[in-house]
Amino acid sequence: MQVNLWDLHHDKVYIKFKDDFHKEFFDKAIAYAGSQSKLAKLLSDSGENFSKNFKIDQQRISFWLHNYMNLRLDVVLYLSDMIGIDKISIQNNLELLKGIGTSLPIKDPKLPFVLTPVMANIIGKFICDGCILDSSHHYTSTYNNICQELIEEFIQEIKFAFGETQVDCPIVDGVIRARVTGFIGYIITNFFFFENGRKVPEIIKVSDRDIQCAFLRAVFDDEGTIHHKVNHIRVKMKYPMFLTDVMDMLNKLGIQTSKLAIDKSKRFGRPLYYFVIYGKNNMILFHQLIDFTHPRKKQRLTEHINRPVKHVSYKPGETVKLIFNTLQERPMTANEIGNQINRSKRTVQFFLDRLYKKRAVSWYPAKRKFVNEYVWQIAA
């Protein structure tokens, strides 16, 4: 997948040539027409859209000739066909590329724009913590994050994939807002099937593993959470179709996930959807194929992977018997029972719930000032 200069909308793109090529181009065009005034008349009478959109006279030709004005792409392609200069030569000799109006330029553009792992990561960033707004073909392209490392990576990737361009990074309420030229938003929206997070672009889903993994790394950097104690990675978002696509991509990579679940708490004003990746083998494979750029998440993943696994097995019914015998001594909380019999609070609570259903134990609230806790005892 690649986007060449001539794939762009010819009436919405402006260019500037490198000096030597610019001179060669207009020398040939004026020689073909006979003079600047005749070239102006030739273009004005062409019947092409540009001849209807703006006035073409000798003054405009002079401005173009002296490189005072950027050239609209449809004018350039019309002249190049007329004087026999191929499109590849046009593309290889650009000094500047920009959109309409006040769109900031891209200097030394990296045409053709290709779907690489870097481009896939940029697209993932815009989908998750970024935003591309299209207002009557005037685009606003922003990536927001509090992580300085992710902002720096985004800026480097933009320049690597598109070319040298200005990136403004104001900080609003502690969030860094990296804003790039709207022309980049135009390219991603129109040629890389960007839909602002509703689903994973089809060209990503059918691409090779490196491109998919780079896209997924952006998703998990922005939307993934990894607890310092609980051994799983979770992604939570408002778009279930997008998460379903992500889960399918992970499963095809051999990384197993939970089923898609819904959080109805509405803490964020709406229900959210989520899934988790759990199990050491899945965590290791995630680390090998995708990993994090986010430094804190990356460190936690490494800690989880390097944490030794305790392989402890007990005889059937052993834990239940220990709990029951311990409660015969005196009433205790689940945490106190766990400390007594060397089991986790979660394990103890699991078996207490089973005993409670069998009416073998009962509970009453503990007297705690700030914490809700229960004291368990042998049922009367």
Side-chain angles (χ1 to χ4, degrees):
M1 170 67 187
Q2 65 179 34
V3 181
N4 289 288
L5 177 66
W6 51 89
D7 296 322
L8 307 176
H9 293 86
H10 299 173
D11 61 339
K12 294 180 174 64
V13 176
Y14 290 81
I15 67 171
K16 183 178 181 180
F17 288 129
K18 296 174 182 176
D19 288 342
D20 290 344
F21 187 82
H22 179 89
K23 184 177 185 306
E24 175 191 347
F25 185 88
F26 274 98
D27 282 350
K28 286 185 176 182
I30 292 171
Y32 180 91
S35 67
Q36 291 185 31
S37 60
K38 289 181 179 179
L39 178 59
K41 181 171 176 52
L42 188 153
L43 292 174
S44 186
D45 295 343
S46 66
E48 298 291 327
N49 285 336
F50 56 76
S51 66
K52 304 168 188 175
N53 295 153
F54 49 82
K55 181 180 178 181
I56 302 177
D57 54 15
Q58 186 174 348
Q59 183 182 43
R60 183 175 289 271
I61 297 296
S62 178
F63 283 173
W64 284 344
L65 178 64
H66 293 92
N67 226 351
Y68 296 153
M69 297 174 64
N70 295 324
L71 302 161
R72 205 167 87 172
L73 181 57
D74 51 0
V75 176
V76 172
L77 295 179
Y78 181 84
L79 288 175
S80 66
D81 285 341
M82 186 177 71
I83 61 180
I85 294 181
D86 62 273
K87 292 186 291 187
I88 294 293
S89 296
I90 298 291
Q91 180 166 275
N92 291 342
N93 283 279
L94 295 186
E95 181 180 294
L96 180 147
L97 179 67
K98 72 182 295 292
I100 57 178
T102 58
S103 171
L104 293 172
I106 300 173
K107 298 177 182 178
D108 298 321
K110 303 288 186 69
L111 284 159
F113 302 126
V114 182
L115 181 59
T116 61
V118 169
M119 184 70 79
N121 195 264
I122 292 172
I123 294 170
K125 282 180 166 63
F126 273 125
I127 287 176
C128 293
D129 278 348
C131 184
I132 297 176
L133 299 177
D134 174 11
S135 176
S136 301
H137 302 293
H138 291 269
Y139 292 84
T140 303
S141 313
T142 310
Y143 176 61
N144 311 302
N145 214 295
I146 61 173
C147 177
Q148 183 68 42
E149 288 82 356
L150 291 181
I151 293 293
E152 290 173 357
E153 180 186 56
F154 173 74
I155 295 171
Q156 292 171 3
E157 288 177 334
I158 286 291
K159 294 182 178 182
F160 182 86
F162 292 99
E164 190 65 33
T165 186
Q166 181 178 328
V167 183
D168 295 322
C169 294
I171 300 176
V172 181
D173 297 328
V175 178
I176 307 171
R177 303 187 183 277
R179 182 172 178 175
V180 300
T181 172
F183 189 66
I184 288 175
Y186 154 77
I187 293 167
I188 290 177
T189 300
N190 286 274
F191 300 97
F192 292 97
F193 308 98
F194 177 85
E195 293 192 39
N196 264 334
R198 289 172 179 81
K199 62 181 181 179
V200 174
E202 196 65 30
I203 57 169
I204 298 290
K205 292 193 286 185
V206 300
S207 294
D208 62 43
R209 190 174 75 173
D210 289 343
I211 287 174
Q212 291 191 28
C213 289
F215 176 85
L216 289 171
R217 188 173 69 255
V219 173
F220 281 89
D221 274 331
D222 286 354
E223 306 294 344
T225 57
I226 177 165
H227 196 272
H228 68 284
K229 289 184 178 180
V230 182
N231 192 27
H232 70 230
I233 304 169
R234 184 179 67 178
V235 176
K236 181 182 288 189
M237 295 179 70
K238 64 182 179 181
Y239 295 120
M241 186 179 295
F242 179 84
L243 289 179
T244 300
D245 287 344
V246 170
M247 291 165 62
D248 289 342
M249 292 169 66
L250 290 168
N251 290 329
K252 288 176 182 177
L253 292 169
I255 301 171
Q256 297 177 342
T257 68
S258 69
K259 293 181 180 179
L260 189 65
I262 182 170
D263 180 354
K264 297 182 179 179
S265 63
K266 296 187 179 180
R267 288 176 297 165
F268 301 97
R270 66 173 71 87
L272 296 177
Y273 301 86
Y274 68 92
F275 69 86
V276 298
I277 299 171
Y278 53 88
K280 188 162 187 176
N281 289 339
N282 285 319
M283 302 283 270
I284 290 172
L285 191 55
F286 179 91
H287 173 67
Q288 292 171 342
L289 297 180
I290 301 170
D291 207 3
F292 290 103
T293 297
H294 192 293
R296 178 169 51 81
K297 296 176 185 179
K298 188 180 184 71
Q299 180 182 352
R300 285 185 178 176
L301 177 61
T302 303
E303 290 171 355
H304 280 304
I305 289 172
N306 293 332
R307 186 176 297 161
V309 178
K310 297 179 181 179
H311 297 284
V312 181
S313 59
Y314 303 104
K315 295 177 182 179
E318 180 181 349
T319 300
V320 174
K321 186 182 293 186
L322 286 170
I323 291 172
F324 203 80
N325 291 340
T326 302
L327 286 178
Q328 286 181 329
E329 298 175 11
R330 63 179 177 86
M332 297 184 190
T333 66
N335 198 44
E336 290 171 336
I337 296 170
N339 291 335
Q340 283 279 99
I341 67 174
N342 195 28
R343 301 290 194 276
S344 69
K345 180 181 178 181
R346 175 186 284 186
T347 300
V348 171
Q349 191 63 57
F350 172 80
F351 286 109
L352 282 170
D353 290 340
R354 293 180 65 176
L355 288 168
Y356 180 74
K357 289 179 181 178
K358 294 178 180 180
R359 298 184 178 180
V361 297
S362 62
W363 58 267
Y364 58 88
K367 292 182 179 180
R368 301 283 191 269
K369 190 171 183 179
F370 300 109
V371 180
N372 292 325
E373 199 168 8
Y374 305 100
V375 177
W376 293 85
Q377 62 186 1
I378 303 297

